[in-house]
Amino acid sequence: MDVGELLNYQPDRGAKRNRDGDGGAAGADEDSRGGKQHKGLSAREMARYREAGVGIEGGGEMRDYDDLSQDRKRILEKLMDRDEEEPEAEPVDESSVKKMILTFEKRSYKNQELRIKFPDNPEKFMETELDLNDVIQEMHVIATMPDLYHLLVELNAVHSLLGLLSHENTDVAIAVVDLLQELTDIDTLQESEEGAEVLIDSLLEGQVVALLVQSMERLDEQVKEEADGIYNTLAIVENMSEFRPGLCTEAAQQGLMQWLLKRIKAKMPFDANKLYCSEILAILLQNNDNTRELLGEMDGIDVLLQQLSVFKRHNPSTAEEQEMMENLFDALCSCLMLAANRDRFLKGEGLQLMNLMLREKKMSRCSSMKVLDHGMIGAEGADNCHKFVDILGLRTIFPLFMKTPKKMKKSVSSEKEHEEHVCSIIASMLRNLKSQQRSRLLNKFTENDCEKVDRLMEMHFKYLEAVQQADKRIEGEKHEMVRRGEILDDGIEDDFYIRRLDAGLFVLQLICYIMVEISNSGIAQLQQRVQQILNLRGGSVKVVRHIMREYAESIGDGKSEEFKEAERKRIMDLVENF
């Protein structure tokens, strides 16, 4: 501990905060017993300060600078002397951890016993509560030894800690949350896979998430310590879900999803906890149809749309608020991967909100386009595609297709990402629209002397060149690897394919799909314009066909075999007629 730290030292809060309306009787008791509330987390340090002559309550007198300096020196000397006198801390080993757990169990039992015996007399059990709090603080040292986590389980300490989450004194519950947060820190868990597995199994067996949710329900976020308790509780969930992603479904079903939605829509000023809630929600929904369905059943789509509607005409005021907005958009995109939620999105007027966001030109514009893409893609997006045309969405989307906004180039989203979403939305509409709405879409391509076809072909050659350059580099690397005698296994081939996608292969496939669709629309003007520009720029129908065959091969992952086959046949028929 350096000199500055010693001089600026502030003792940690005790086991019981003395605040109006929270255990007032207990607080009064403690005050009458000569400031006992200063014990708790740092009794030894407080004693040092008293011996050194430091006023805990801090008088208001002004003193000369020299006097102050002398006092600081004297205090420092006394503290240093005390440090020299104190024996060295006991090394952390199996024996000391067992002793610590045994002390914890005894103090927990003693506190519980006195609380039952004297429920209306806090003076009787307050001492045991402070002692219990002290030992919980001491147990933080176990987090440095994940190899010894099995002792917490074998000696039943995990069960006892979970029991304390519902302790009448919220300070004790918060102390347990702080300890669990440190024990489950992801870096610590990864140090000892075996110890981590044992601890997480025991926590899940004890329904840890349900107990944490109950604990959060009774905390008052107006009190800083309790707000911190909620933040640390969310950190426990994040740590465990990162270590074992499979527990997200269980966590959501144990009340966490409901609590998160309630907290996100609460009429409270934006803070770190709201940001963290949005992050945990996005994590729960990632690649998980069970949690997506649960959110849909809880009217979560409406909650997300209501929270996002704030950013329709106003940009987030801080970077943190922008991060929350992006988390909520990500959560909404995840939800729309489930077909049932697309119907809820449609009924909740999500399309209208996203369309307004596109027109308003605020920071939410890029993310709203991503949501539209997720809501309209595939056969399940047919209803949303028709509705989008009905609400005059074509007037919004085609200006964005014709020109990538300058702001978009500077924002988090890249130009490629913007063009990918726009092309995907148009491709989805060409796939899904029928009758009158389809005619309205195709007519857009004929407007102003087929200017949209010209833009489509411009993008085609732009992305074709980028992909061809990437292919050339990859071929060179493959040749070099073969020369060195290395084997090109599936993993390496997958890496090369991902690099081609990053170079713009997927956007190129979408552009070629739009070209093939409009050429097969029966409007001679469109087909002639496509062929004319291909010939003019030295393009090739063969290249387009090759790209479309590759696209057809990769389509429909995660879908049924029947769907894949039908979609491939449909695309190949379009290609043959191109």
PDB file of all heavy atoms in Angstrom, residues 546-571:
ATOM      1  N   HIS A 546     -22.531 -18.589 -62.719  1.00  0.00           N
ATOM      2  CA  HIS A 546     -21.637 -19.289 -61.779  1.00  0.00           C
ATOM      3  C   HIS A 546     -21.875 -18.781 -60.346  1.00  0.00           C
ATOM      4  O   HIS A 546     -21.959 -19.572 -59.398  1.00  0.00           O
ATOM      5  CB  HIS A 546     -20.177 -19.060 -62.187  1.00  0.00           C
ATOM      6  CG  HIS A 546     -19.197 -19.585 -61.182  1.00  0.00           C
ATOM      7  ND1 HIS A 546     -18.977 -20.941 -60.989  1.00  0.00           N
ATOM      8  CD2 HIS A 546     -18.399 -18.933 -60.287  1.00  0.00           C
ATOM      9  CE1 HIS A 546     -18.081 -21.092 -60.021  1.00  0.00           C
ATOM     10  NE2 HIS A 546     -17.718 -19.893 -59.580  1.00  0.00           N
ATOM     11  N   ILE A 547     -21.990 -17.455 -60.207  1.00  0.00           N
ATOM     12  CA  ILE A 547     -22.226 -16.862 -58.872  1.00  0.00           C
ATOM     13  C   ILE A 547     -23.555 -17.361 -58.306  1.00  0.00           C
ATOM     14  O   ILE A 547     -23.658 -17.689 -57.118  1.00  0.00           O
ATOM     15  CB  ILE A 547     -22.215 -15.313 -58.957  1.00  0.00           C
ATOM     16  CG1 ILE A 547     -20.793 -14.825 -59.283  1.00  0.00           C
ATOM     17  CG2 ILE A 547     -22.694 -14.681 -57.654  1.00  0.00           C
ATOM     18  CD1 ILE A 547     -20.727 -13.379 -59.750  1.00  0.00           C
ATOM     19  N   MET A 548     -24.586 -17.436 -59.159  1.00  0.00           N
ATOM     20  CA  MET A 548     -25.910 -17.868 -58.705  1.00  0.00           C
ATOM     21  C   MET A 548     -25.934 -19.351 -58.329  1.00  0.00           C
ATOM     22  O   MET A 548     -26.648 -19.752 -57.405  1.00  0.00           O
ATOM     23  CB  MET A 548     -26.966 -17.587 -59.771  1.00  0.00           C
ATOM     24  CG  MET A 548     -27.318 -16.114 -59.921  1.00  0.00           C
ATOM     25  SD  MET A 548     -27.626 -15.288 -58.355  1.00  0.00           S
ATOM     26  CE  MET A 548     -29.040 -16.183 -57.772  1.00  0.00           C
ATOM     27  N   ARG A 549     -25.148 -20.172 -59.042  1.00  0.00           N
ATOM     28  CA  ARG A 549     -25.085 -21.608 -58.679  1.00  0.00           C
ATOM     29  C   ARG A 549     -24.452 -21.771 -57.292  1.00  0.00           C
ATOM     30  O   ARG A 549     -24.906 -22.574 -56.483  1.00  0.00           O
ATOM     31  CB  ARG A 549     -24.277 -22.388 -59.738  1.00  0.00           C
ATOM     32  CG  ARG A 549     -25.042 -22.602 -61.030  1.00  0.00           C
ATOM     33  CD  ARG A 549     -24.373 -23.623 -61.932  1.00  0.00           C
ATOM     34  NE  ARG A 549     -25.078 -23.665 -63.207  1.00  0.00           N
ATOM     35  CZ  ARG A 549     -24.692 -23.035 -64.304  1.00  0.00           C
ATOM     36  NH1 ARG A 549     -23.593 -22.302 -64.291  1.00  0.00           N
ATOM     37  NH2 ARG A 549     -25.393 -23.125 -65.418  1.00  0.00           N
ATOM     38  N   GLU A 550     -23.396 -20.984 -57.052  1.00  0.00           N
ATOM     39  CA  GLU A 550     -22.731 -21.028 -55.743  1.00  0.00           C
ATOM     40  C   GLU A 550     -23.698 -20.569 -54.649  1.00  0.00           C
ATOM     41  O   GLU A 550     -23.749 -21.136 -53.555  1.00  0.00           O
ATOM     42  CB  GLU A 550     -21.488 -20.131 -55.775  1.00  0.00           C
ATOM     43  CG  GLU A 550     -20.570 -20.324 -54.590  1.00  0.00           C
ATOM     44  CD  GLU A 550     -19.288 -19.499 -54.684  1.00  0.00           C
ATOM     45  OE1 GLU A 550     -19.219 -18.579 -55.523  1.00  0.00           O
ATOM     46  OE2 GLU A 550     -18.378 -19.766 -53.894  1.00  0.00           O
ATOM     47  N   TYR A 551     -24.479 -19.527 -54.962  1.00  0.00           N
ATOM     48  CA  TYR A 551     -25.490 -19.010 -54.019  1.00  0.00           C
ATOM     49  C   TYR A 551     -26.543 -20.080 -53.728  1.00  0.00           C
ATOM     50  O   TYR A 551     -26.916 -20.305 -52.567  1.00  0.00           O
ATOM     51  CB  TYR A 551     -26.143 -17.761 -54.629  1.00  0.00           C
ATOM     52  CG  TYR A 551     -27.272 -17.167 -53.803  1.00  0.00           C
ATOM     53  CD1 TYR A 551     -27.066 -16.737 -52.494  1.00  0.00           C
ATOM     54  CD2 TYR A 551     -28.550 -17.000 -54.340  1.00  0.00           C
ATOM     55  CE1 TYR A 551     -28.087 -16.170 -51.744  1.00  0.00           C
ATOM     56  CE2 TYR A 551     -29.580 -16.434 -53.598  1.00  0.00           C
ATOM     57  CZ  TYR A 551     -29.339 -16.026 -52.303  1.00  0.00           C
ATOM     58  OH  TYR A 551     -30.360 -15.470 -51.560  1.00  0.00           O
ATOM     59  N   ALA A 552     -27.006 -20.753 -54.763  1.00  0.00           N
ATOM     60  CA  ALA A 552     -28.035 -21.796 -54.598  1.00  0.00           C
ATOM     61  C   ALA A 552     -27.533 -22.936 -53.722  1.00  0.00           C
ATOM     62  O   ALA A 552     -28.281 -23.504 -52.926  1.00  0.00           O
ATOM     63  CB  ALA A 552     -28.462 -22.333 -55.963  1.00  0.00           C
ATOM     64  N   GLU A 553     -26.231 -23.253 -53.842  1.00  0.00           N
ATOM     65  CA  GLU A 553     -25.653 -24.341 -53.050  1.00  0.00           C
ATOM     66  C   GLU A 553     -25.627 -24.009 -51.555  1.00  0.00           C
ATOM     67  O   GLU A 553     -25.772 -24.878 -50.706  1.00  0.00           O
ATOM     68  CB  GLU A 553     -24.221 -24.646 -53.528  1.00  0.00           C
ATOM     69  CG  GLU A 553     -24.142 -25.441 -54.806  1.00  0.00           C
ATOM     70  CD  GLU A 553     -24.895 -26.772 -54.732  1.00  0.00           C
ATOM     71  OE1 GLU A 553     -24.685 -27.513 -53.768  1.00  0.00           O
ATOM     72  OE2 GLU A 553     -25.711 -27.034 -55.635  1.00  0.00           O
ATOM     73  N   SER A 554     -25.416 -22.730 -51.252  1.00  0.00           N
ATOM     74  CA  SER A 554     -25.244 -22.338 -49.834  1.00  0.00           C
ATOM     75  C   SER A 554     -26.555 -21.918 -49.176  1.00  0.00           C
ATOM     76  O   SER A 554     -26.589 -21.569 -48.001  1.00  0.00           O
ATOM     77  CB  SER A 554     -24.244 -21.190 -49.735  1.00  0.00           C
ATOM     78  OG  SER A 554     -24.761 -20.045 -50.383  1.00  0.00           O
ATOM     79  N   ILE A 555     -27.648 -21.927 -49.931  1.00  0.00           N
ATOM     80  CA  ILE A 555     -28.899 -21.369 -49.395  1.00  0.00           C
ATOM     81  C   ILE A 555     -29.599 -22.337 -48.449  1.00  0.00           C
ATOM     82  O   ILE A 555     -29.434 -23.547 -48.533  1.00  0.00           O
ATOM     83  CB  ILE A 555     -29.858 -20.975 -50.549  1.00  0.00           C
ATOM     84  CG1 ILE A 555     -30.791 -19.853 -50.096  1.00  0.00           C
ATOM     85  CG2 ILE A 555     -30.668 -22.155 -51.035  1.00  0.00           C
ATOM     86  CD1 ILE A 555     -31.359 -19.066 -51.251  1.00  0.00           C
ATOM     87  N   GLY A 556     -30.372 -21.759 -47.551  1.00  0.00           N
ATOM     88  CA  GLY A 556     -31.293 -22.547 -46.722  1.00  0.00           C
ATOM     89  C   GLY A 556     -30.672 -23.301 -45.574  1.00  0.00           C
ATOM     90  O   GLY A 556     -31.224 -24.287 -45.105  1.00  0.00           O
ATOM     91  N   ASP A 557     -29.499 -22.876 -45.072  1.00  0.00           N
ATOM     92  CA  ASP A 557     -28.921 -23.545 -43.908  1.00  0.00           C
ATOM     93  C   ASP A 557     -29.875 -23.438 -42.727  1.00  0.00           C
ATOM     94  O   ASP A 557     -30.429 -22.389 -42.443  1.00  0.00           O
ATOM     95  CB  ASP A 557     -27.577 -22.885 -43.534  1.00  0.00           C
ATOM     96  CG  ASP A 557     -26.497 -23.246 -44.533  1.00  0.00           C
ATOM     97  OD1 ASP A 557     -26.767 -24.132 -45.351  1.00  0.00           O
ATOM     98  OD2 ASP A 557     -25.414 -22.647 -44.491  1.00  0.00           O
ATOM     99  N   GLY A 558     -30.059 -24.556 -42.054  1.00  0.00           N
ATOM    100  CA  GLY A 558     -30.968 -24.566 -40.901  1.00  0.00           C
ATOM    101  C   GLY A 558     -32.410 -24.793 -41.282  1.00  0.00           C
ATOM    102  O   GLY A 558     -33.284 -24.890 -40.423  1.00  0.00           O
ATOM    103  N   LYS A 559     -32.700 -24.869 -42.563  1.00  0.00           N
ATOM    104  CA  LYS A 559     -34.078 -25.109 -43.011  1.00  0.00           C
ATOM    105  C   LYS A 559     -34.253 -26.599 -43.308  1.00  0.00           C
ATOM    106  O   LYS A 559     -33.295 -27.366 -43.334  1.00  0.00           O
ATOM    107  CB  LYS A 559     -34.384 -24.304 -44.281  1.00  0.00           C
ATOM    108  CG  LYS A 559     -34.145 -22.803 -44.158  1.00  0.00           C
ATOM    109  CD  LYS A 559     -35.254 -22.132 -43.383  1.00  0.00           C
ATOM    110  CE  LYS A 559     -35.056 -20.618 -43.350  1.00  0.00           C
ATOM    111  NZ  LYS A 559     -36.094 -19.951 -42.584  1.00  0.00           N
ATOM    112  N   SER A 560     -35.486 -27.006 -43.564  1.00  0.00           N
ATOM    113  CA  SER A 560     -35.755 -28.418 -43.898  1.00  0.00           C
ATOM    114  C   SER A 560     -35.205 -28.730 -45.284  1.00  0.00           C
ATOM    115  O   SER A 560     -35.019 -27.839 -46.118  1.00  0.00           O
ATOM    116  CB  SER A 560     -37.263 -28.672 -43.868  1.00  0.00           C
ATOM    117  OG  SER A 560     -37.887 -27.930 -44.892  1.00  0.00           O
ATOM    118  N   GLU A 561     -34.969 -30.010 -45.536  1.00  0.00           N
ATOM    119  CA  GLU A 561     -34.436 -30.442 -46.830  1.00  0.00           C
ATOM    120  C   GLU A 561     -35.390 -30.080 -47.962  1.00  0.00           C
ATOM    121  O   GLU A 561     -34.966 -29.699 -49.046  1.00  0.00           O
ATOM    122  CB  GLU A 561     -34.178 -31.953 -46.814  1.00  0.00           C
ATOM    123  CG  GLU A 561     -32.905 -32.357 -46.090  1.00  0.00           C
ATOM    124  CD  GLU A 561     -31.645 -31.700 -46.655  1.00  0.00           C
ATOM    125  OE1 GLU A 561     -31.531 -31.603 -47.900  1.00  0.00           O
ATOM    126  OE2 GLU A 561     -30.808 -31.241 -45.874  1.00  0.00           O
ATOM    127  N   GLU A 562     -36.702 -30.228 -47.694  1.00  0.00           N
ATOM    128  CA  GLU A 562     -37.708 -29.920 -48.734  1.00  0.00           C
ATOM    129  C   GLU A 562     -37.607 -28.447 -49.157  1.00  0.00           C
ATOM    130  O   GLU A 562     -37.653 -28.113 -50.344  1.00  0.00           O
ATOM    131  CB  GLU A 562     -39.136 -30.196 -48.233  1.00  0.00           C
ATOM    132  CG  GLU A 562     -39.442 -31.661 -47.937  1.00  0.00           C
ATOM    133  CD  GLU A 562     -38.966 -32.109 -46.557  1.00  0.00           C
ATOM    134  OE1 GLU A 562     -38.457 -31.269 -45.789  1.00  0.00           O
ATOM    135  OE2 GLU A 562     -39.086 -33.310 -46.261  1.00  0.00           O
ATOM    136  N   PHE A 563     -37.462 -27.572 -48.148  1.00  0.00           N
ATOM    137  CA  PHE A 563     -37.356 -26.139 -48.441  1.00  0.00           C
ATOM    138  C   PHE A 563     -36.110 -25.854 -49.275  1.00  0.00           C
ATOM    139  O   PHE A 563     -36.151 -25.115 -50.262  1.00  0.00           O
ATOM    140  CB  PHE A 563     -37.316 -25.316 -47.143  1.00  0.00           C
ATOM    141  CG  PHE A 563     -37.060 -23.855 -47.370  1.00  0.00           C
ATOM    142  CD1 PHE A 563     -38.087 -22.988 -47.710  1.00  0.00           C
ATOM    143  CD2 PHE A 563     -35.756 -23.334 -47.280  1.00  0.00           C
ATOM    144  CE1 PHE A 563     -37.840 -21.636 -47.945  1.00  0.00           C
ATOM    145  CE2 PHE A 563     -35.512 -21.991 -47.516  1.00  0.00           C
ATOM    146  CZ  PHE A 563     -36.562 -21.138 -47.841  1.00  0.00           C
ATOM    147  N   LYS A 564     -34.973 -26.457 -48.853  1.00  0.00           N
ATOM    148  CA  LYS A 564     -33.722 -26.235 -49.567  1.00  0.00           C
ATOM    149  C   LYS A 564     -33.855 -26.623 -51.033  1.00  0.00           C
ATOM    150  O   LYS A 564     -33.455 -25.868 -51.926  1.00  0.00           O
ATOM    151  CB  LYS A 564     -32.594 -27.055 -48.928  1.00  0.00           C
ATOM    152  CG  LYS A 564     -32.063 -26.502 -47.627  1.00  0.00           C
ATOM    153  CD  LYS A 564     -30.893 -27.348 -47.158  1.00  0.00           C
ATOM    154  CE  LYS A 564     -30.499 -27.034 -45.729  1.00  0.00           C
ATOM    155  NZ  LYS A 564     -29.437 -27.895 -45.244  1.00  0.00           N
ATOM    156  N   GLU A 565     -34.404 -27.807 -51.250  1.00  0.00           N
ATOM    157  CA  GLU A 565     -34.525 -28.314 -52.626  1.00  0.00           C
ATOM    158  C   GLU A 565     -35.424 -27.424 -53.477  1.00  0.00           C
ATOM    159  O   GLU A 565     -35.094 -27.091 -54.619  1.00  0.00           O
ATOM    160  CB  GLU A 565     -35.062 -29.757 -52.612  1.00  0.00           C
ATOM    161  CG  GLU A 565     -34.022 -30.813 -52.252  1.00  0.00           C
ATOM    162  CD  GLU A 565     -32.764 -30.710 -53.101  1.00  0.00           C
ATOM    163  OE1 GLU A 565     -32.883 -30.600 -54.351  1.00  0.00           O
ATOM    164  OE2 GLU A 565     -31.657 -30.713 -52.534  1.00  0.00           O
ATOM    165  N   ALA A 566     -36.561 -27.035 -52.905  1.00  0.00           N
ATOM    166  CA  ALA A 566     -37.516 -26.195 -53.652  1.00  0.00           C
ATOM    167  C   ALA A 566     -36.892 -24.843 -53.999  1.00  0.00           C
ATOM    168  O   ALA A 566     -37.031 -24.348 -55.124  1.00  0.00           O
ATOM    169  CB  ALA A 566     -38.781 -25.992 -52.822  1.00  0.00           C
ATOM    170  N   GLU A 567     -36.165 -24.272 -53.043  1.00  0.00           N
ATOM    171  CA  GLU A 567     -35.545 -22.951 -53.263  1.00  0.00           C
ATOM    172  C   GLU A 567     -34.421 -23.045 -54.298  1.00  0.00           C
ATOM    173  O   GLU A 567     -34.291 -22.185 -55.169  1.00  0.00           O
ATOM    174  CB  GLU A 567     -35.010 -22.415 -51.922  1.00  0.00           C
ATOM    175  CG  GLU A 567     -34.615 -20.956 -51.939  1.00  0.00           C
ATOM    176  CD  GLU A 567     -35.763 -19.987 -52.184  1.00  0.00           C
ATOM    177  OE1 GLU A 567     -36.932 -20.410 -52.231  1.00  0.00           O
ATOM    178  OE2 GLU A 567     -35.473 -18.795 -52.349  1.00  0.00           O
ATOM    179  N   ARG A 568     -33.620 -24.105 -54.190  1.00  0.00           N
ATOM    180  CA  ARG A 568     -32.536 -24.291 -55.173  1.00  0.00           C
ATOM    181  C   ARG A 568     -33.095 -24.432 -56.584  1.00  0.00           C
ATOM    182  O   ARG A 568     -32.572 -23.847 -57.528  1.00  0.00           O
ATOM    183  CB  ARG A 568     -31.720 -25.543 -54.816  1.00  0.00           C
ATOM    184  CG  ARG A 568     -30.693 -25.289 -53.739  1.00  0.00           C
ATOM    185  CD  ARG A 568     -29.947 -26.529 -53.367  1.00  0.00           C
ATOM    186  NE  ARG A 568     -29.207 -26.326 -52.123  1.00  0.00           N
ATOM    187  CZ  ARG A 568     -28.849 -27.292 -51.300  1.00  0.00           C
ATOM    188  NH1 ARG A 568     -29.166 -28.545 -51.573  1.00  0.00           N
ATOM    189  NH2 ARG A 568     -28.172 -27.027 -50.216  1.00  0.00           N
ATOM    190  N   LYS A 569     -34.172 -25.230 -56.702  1.00  0.00           N
ATOM    191  CA  LYS A 569     -34.777 -25.460 -58.021  1.00  0.00           C
ATOM    192  C   LYS A 569     -35.314 -24.139 -58.590  1.00  0.00           C
ATOM    193  O   LYS A 569     -35.121 -23.819 -59.767  1.00  0.00           O
ATOM    194  CB  LYS A 569     -35.905 -26.496 -57.908  1.00  0.00           C
ATOM    195  CG  LYS A 569     -36.514 -26.884 -59.265  1.00  0.00           C
ATOM    196  CD  LYS A 569     -37.554 -27.978 -59.097  1.00  0.00           C
ATOM    197  CE  LYS A 569     -38.097 -28.415 -60.445  1.00  0.00           C
ATOM    198  NZ  LYS A 569     -38.575 -27.321 -61.292  1.00  0.00           N
ATOM    199  N   ARG A 570     -35.950 -23.332 -57.719  1.00  0.00           N
ATOM    200  CA  ARG A 570     -36.514 -22.054 -58.149  1.00  0.00           C
ATOM    201  C   ARG A 570     -35.409 -21.128 -58.675  1.00  0.00           C
ATOM    202  O   ARG A 570     -35.547 -20.502 -59.737  1.00  0.00           O
ATOM    203  CB  ARG A 570     -37.232 -21.393 -56.968  1.00  0.00           C
ATOM    204  CG  ARG A 570     -38.083 -20.184 -57.327  1.00  0.00           C
ATOM    205  CD  ARG A 570     -38.724 -19.592 -56.073  1.00  0.00           C
ATOM    206  NE  ARG A 570     -37.744 -18.930 -55.224  1.00  0.00           N
ATOM    207  CZ  ARG A 570     -37.273 -17.698 -55.429  1.00  0.00           C
ATOM    208  NH1 ARG A 570     -37.680 -17.000 -56.471  1.00  0.00           N
ATOM    209  NH2 ARG A 570     -36.394 -17.159 -54.605  1.00  0.00           N
ATOM    210  N   ILE A 571     -34.291 -21.069 -57.930  1.00  0.00           N
ATOM    211  CA  ILE A 571     -33.182 -20.201 -58.339  1.00  0.00           C
ATOM    212  C   ILE A 571     -32.543 -20.696 -59.641  1.00  0.00           C
ATOM    213  O   ILE A 571     -32.259 -19.911 -60.546  1.00  0.00           O
ATOM    214  CB  ILE A 571     -32.127 -20.096 -57.210  1.00  0.00           C
ATOM    215  CG1 ILE A 571     -32.711 -19.291 -56.032  1.00  0.00           C
ATOM    216  CG2 ILE A 571     -30.840 -19.432 -57.706  1.00  0.00           C
ATOM    217  CD1 ILE A 571     -31.898 -19.333 -54.771  1.00  0.00           C
TER     218      ILE A 571
END
